[in-house]
Amino acid sequence: MKTSLFAVDPEKFTDRDLDTAAKIIRSGGLVVFPTETVYGIGGDATNSRSAERIYAAKGRPSDNPLIIHVADPADAEPYAVTCPLYYRLAKHFMPGPLTVIMPKKDTIPLTVTGGLDSVAVRCPSHPIANALIRLSGVPIAAPSANISGRPSATCAAHALHDFDGRVDAIIDGGESRFGMESTIVKITGEDSLILLRPGAVTFDALCCVCSDVTVSETVTRMLREDERPICPGMKYRHYAPEKPLALVGGDPDERLRFFRQKQQEGNCIIICYDEQVRFLSPDGIINIGSAADPERQGHLLFSALRLSDELPGDAVYANLPDTEGLGLALYNRLIRAAAHTVIYPRRDPSVN
């Protein structure tokens, strides 16, 4: 398959710039496109064959549900059983980085939902994504644009690396704003929901709209083999570089001491904070911003994980984020990328 690459300026484009991509979606083809979170690999969500092509292109297990994207929150009506809480969430967070799981209607094939009777709905705020959905005339099923298990793509170059020859077209719309996938919630009652995947819409923000918000234990732990994923990113190793990644927690001084020791031993890569850079050797470090700036960290995280595979070194180490605010989303992505490998270094009392 020959993959076409289209450069589209998100601040000044017309519908004509997206006509070809919209025709590809309508005809059952696949298009990689930018969103405010990460790039997505999209196909017609009402077309079972399109879903099968998405799974094949990503190398993704078919029991891992896809998110359907609509141009307006009300456009979910033909595809999901909505409720007042959905529209309350939509009023506050849509268009934007929030995905809501609701009972599905028969208009969405089971191949899209991984065989589940629920469907995940999102309305992206990125102007190119929103316009492409509108012009296609169908909801677009679009998981993140990365080979299954690898770090998500936050720019067209990442998507081209993974999908050249696997999709019909890639739209280059610049870097994604947030850099991490959307928050996913499931509505469980009239005024209750469960947070399944954290993102830019935080737990605290959700609590301002819904009185009963529960964080699923799967946010911080891996699903067991006998558990079925009800949203993307739950069961399988995700976001991971090819090299083994370990997270380093505990006291900041001990973390820094551990990083310095690993650098002295050689042949490793350190994903670090601004505050740590001056204490480390410049070789093999990747700076993802200040420890106090989780938004910047989120924007750079997947690029850093991809870059770690391009640098010489046999292992990758990164700070274990806290779980407050946006930190929970960082923790969720990194704990899966590291396959839950966490190190808590302790200083040897015999060393001064």
Side-chain angles (χ1 to χ4, degrees):
M1 178 187 298
K2 179 174 174 56
T3 299
S4 301
L5 180 64
F6 303 99
V8 179
D9 187 335
E11 295 184 1
K12 48 180 181 180
F13 70 92
T14 67
D15 287 355
R16 290 185 61 185
D17 295 320
L18 298 176
D19 277 348
T20 299
K23 289 176 182 176
I24 291 171
I25 295 291
R26 287 196 298 271
S27 66
L30 302 184
V31 176
V32 171
F33 62 96
T35 81
E36 71 277 21
T37 56
V38 296
Y39 273 63
I41 171 174
D44 180 356
T46 66
N47 184 331
S48 187
R49 176 59 183 148
S50 292
E52 292 169 357
R53 291 190 62 193
I54 291 172
Y55 287 121
K58 281 179 63 75
R60 177 181 180 134
S62 60
D63 68 344
N64 205 359
L66 306 177
I67 293 172
I68 73 165
H69 293 65
V70 294
D72 183 272
D75 292 343
E77 288 293 341
Y79 314 108
V81 181
T82 61
C83 62
L85 179 54
Y86 166 72
Y87 281 104
R88 213 157 74 230
L89 291 166
K91 179 180 178 181
H92 285 81
F93 304 119
M94 296 181 186
L98 178 68
T99 296
V100 182
I101 297 177
M102 297 170 284
K104 86 173 192 70
K105 293 183 178 178
D106 291 341
T107 45
I108 297 296
L110 287 171
T111 48
V112 171
T113 64
L116 300 174
D117 59 4
S118 59
V119 63
V121 179
R122 181 162 112 77
C123 177
S125 62
H126 195 289
I128 292 175
N130 202 277
L132 178 63
I133 300 164
R134 174 174 52 82
L135 292 169
S136 298
V138 292
I140 295 181
S144 56
N146 56 291
I147 299 302
S148 186
R150 300 278 290 129
S152 299
T154 56
C155 66
H158 295 164
L160 187 64
H161 177 274
D162 286 7
F163 290 105
D164 190 15
R166 291 172 175 256
V167 299
D168 298 283
I170 296 173
I171 301 173
D172 182 353
E175 287 191 4
S176 297
R177 174 188 169 192
F178 292 112
M180 288 189 293
E181 301 86 354
S182 63
T183 300
I184 299 180
V185 299
K186 181 177 182 180
I187 294 175
T188 55
E190 290 184 2
D191 195 32
S192 62
L193 53 82
I194 184 168
L195 173 61
L196 296 170
R197 185 178 73 185
V201 177
T202 65
F203 171 80
D204 289 340
L206 292 166
C207 289
C208 292
V209 178
C210 179
S211 64
D212 181 10
V213 181
T214 303
V215 179
S216 170
E217 63 178 14
T218 58
V219 166
T220 55
R221 74 160 175 84
M222 194 74 77
L223 258 67
R224 298 186 302 271
E225 283 302 315
D226 61 346
E227 289 183 279
R228 190 176 190 180
I230 62 173
C231 78
M234 292 182 71
K235 186 172 184 180
Y236 304 96
R237 186 176 180 233
H238 269 63
Y239 323 115
E242 293 177 358
K243 296 169 183 172
L245 168 68
L247 306 181
V248 184
D251 179 78
D253 290 339
E254 294 307 316
R255 293 191 205 190
L256 187 57
R257 194 185 310 276
F258 177 88
F259 289 153
R260 288 168 62 94
Q261 177 186 337
K262 288 300 177 182
Q263 284 195 317
Q264 290 170 4
E265 294 172 1
N267 223 26
C268 72
I269 297 152
I270 309 292
I271 299 175
C272 65
Y273 299 140
D274 283 343
E275 296 84 352
Q276 297 169 324
V277 169
R278 67 189 180 95
F279 298 104
L280 298 171
S281 167
D283 296 330
I285 66 169
I286 303 172
N287 184 356
I288 59 169
S290 171
D293 189 354
E295 289 188 13
R296 180 68 174 164
Q297 293 171 43
H299 179 73
L300 296 174
L301 177 61
F302 289 140
S303 292
L305 292 173
R306 284 178 176 262
L307 178 58
S308 70
D309 281 330
E310 299 174 14
L311 299 178
D314 296 330
V316 184
Y317 299 96
N319 291 279
L320 178 70
D322 64 33
T323 55
E324 296 298 317
L326 191 55
L328 183 61
L330 288 160
Y331 182 98
N332 172 264
R333 302 314 191 273
L334 276 168
I335 203 73
R336 279 162 170 69
H340 291 257
T341 303
V342 181
I343 299 168
Y344 291 94
R346 295 290 184 268
R347 185 178 183 182
D348 185 344
S350 66
V351 177
N352 292 324

